[in-house]
Amino acid sequence: RVRIADQGGGPIDVRSATVSLLSSTVAQEVQWPSSIVSVAQDIELNATLVDVDLTVQGQPSHRLNLQIADANFHRSVTIETSNDLERWRGLASGEAIFSYKTPKFVGSDLTVSYPETTARYIRILIFNQDDLPLDIQGVEAWGLQRRLLFTADPELEYKLDYGNPEADRPFYDIDRMFHFMETESVLKASLGEHRSSERFLTPVVAEPVVPLSERLPWLLPVVIGGAAAIIGLFLFGVARRAKTLLPPPTP
């Protein structure tokens, strides 16, 4: 039932109506290659630090599945990210992992979800409080599968340039047309040989040459002072020599 308020304008002659349905497909996930770099204990925080390497920077991830041999535990978890294993940035907190094997309940949740990030390294802080550290045996990293959709001419060949960190997000008409397109039966293409390209490399800007007087501000006063001292010694020597060569003054 659709109610149309006339607001004093009189009735409208409605002859027909159309009902449409918009269906959505759940995004597909893919497991990325990953490995545990280190497992360390932070005595001050009473926490276990698990550093995970996703092998490459720029790969989007949003979920980690831990493999833990222990049972009957419940631990709070915090996530941090880094690209160099030195500078870490907090990403998510308030998550928890648990595993119960009791007569009344058997169940576990060893998944840690966080906002999508493209950082290479993920650090998991597991707060043990007064319990013993857990036996971390492995980890799996998951992210959403990405696909590139574009209009193409079968008679042409196409080249994909990628890897420029300074590039902006592109905007095309197909971005708004995507919801009205049938994407299940589109042709699929595969990438050919990967080659390095200099088209989108960030140019190296030469650093400006700083004058020597600015790099060594103490140098000029030292040179002037040294020159003045040398000239003074020279004039003093000339005065002494002239005194010995000239005749004594007449009384």
Side-chain angles (χ1 to χ4, degrees):
R1 174 178 291 178
V2 180
R3 294 181 180 271
I4 303 177
D6 57 12
Q7 297 180 353
I12 297 177
D13 185 11
V14 180
R15 300 294 180 88
S16 63
T18 302
V19 178
S20 302
L21 173 66
L22 179 63
S23 60
S24 59
T25 304
V26 180
Q28 297 182 1
E29 289 185 309
V30 60
Q31 182 180 350
W32 301 123
S34 60
S35 61
I36 296 179
V37 178
S38 64
V39 178
Q41 306 300 326
D42 191 318
I43 300 177
E44 295 182 358
L45 297 177
N46 289 334
T48 301
L49 278 60
V50 183
D51 292 345
V52 182
D53 183 8
L54 272 64
T55 70
V56 64
Q57 180 181 348
Q59 198 151 251
S61 67
H62 69 275
R63 177 165 63 89
L64 293 177
N65 292 346
L66 296 174
Q67 300 170 2
I68 302 176
D70 303 274
N72 295 325
F73 65 84
H74 185 284
R75 307 290 167 88
S76 299
V77 174
T78 296
I79 297 295
E80 296 179 351
T81 60
S82 174
N83 287 315
D84 54 11
L85 287 175
E86 294 182 1
R87 294 168 294 180
W88 294 90
R89 181 178 65 89
L91 183 63
S93 61
E95 294 287 327
I97 56 176
F98 64 85
S99 177
Y100 298 116
K101 290 184 179 180
T102 67
K104 292 186 176 181
F105 177 75
V106 176
S108 63
D109 185 359
L110 305 180
T111 299
V112 181
S113 300
Y114 48 86
E116 187 178 73
T117 178
T118 56
R120 173 171 177 173
Y121 300 101
I122 308 294
R123 170 171 287 179
I124 312 170
L125 287 83
I126 305 175
F127 296 95
N128 303 310
Q129 297 188 19
D130 295 326
D131 291 298
L132 294 175
L134 300 175
D135 183 10
I136 311 296
Q137 296 186 338
V139 64
E140 296 177 352
W142 292 81
L144 295 179
Q145 187 180 53
R146 296 302 205 275
R147 292 178 178 176
L148 180 64
L149 182 67
F150 62 97
T151 56
D153 186 345
E155 302 297 329
L156 300 178
E157 293 183 355
Y158 295 86
K159 182 174 65 173
L160 174 65
D161 291 307
Y162 66 95
N164 180 12
E166 304 297 331
D168 297 327
R169 182 184 184 277
F171 291 93
Y172 297 105
D173 293 335
I174 198 172
D175 188 23
R176 294 178 174 83
M177 297 168 50
F178 175 77
H179 299 288
F180 309 103
M181 299 176 61
E182 178 62 43
T183 59
E184 299 297 330
S185 59
V186 297
L187 297 177
K188 296 183 179 180
S190 58
L191 292 176
E193 181 183 357
H194 293 236
R195 298 178 181 178
S196 300
S197 174
E198 298 182 356
R199 288 184 58 192
F200 297 101
L201 292 179
T202 304
V204 179
V205 180
E207 296 183 359
V209 179
V210 181
L212 184 61
S213 58
E214 295 184 10
R215 287 181 292 169
L216 304 175
W218 52 268
L219 183 60
L220 184 60
V222 171
V223 172
I224 295 176
I230 294 175
I231 295 175
L233 292 175
F234 175 75
L235 294 177
F236 179 74
V238 170
R240 291 187 59 184
R241 185 173 180 81
K243 185 176 181 180
T244 57
L245 295 178
L246 293 176
T250 303

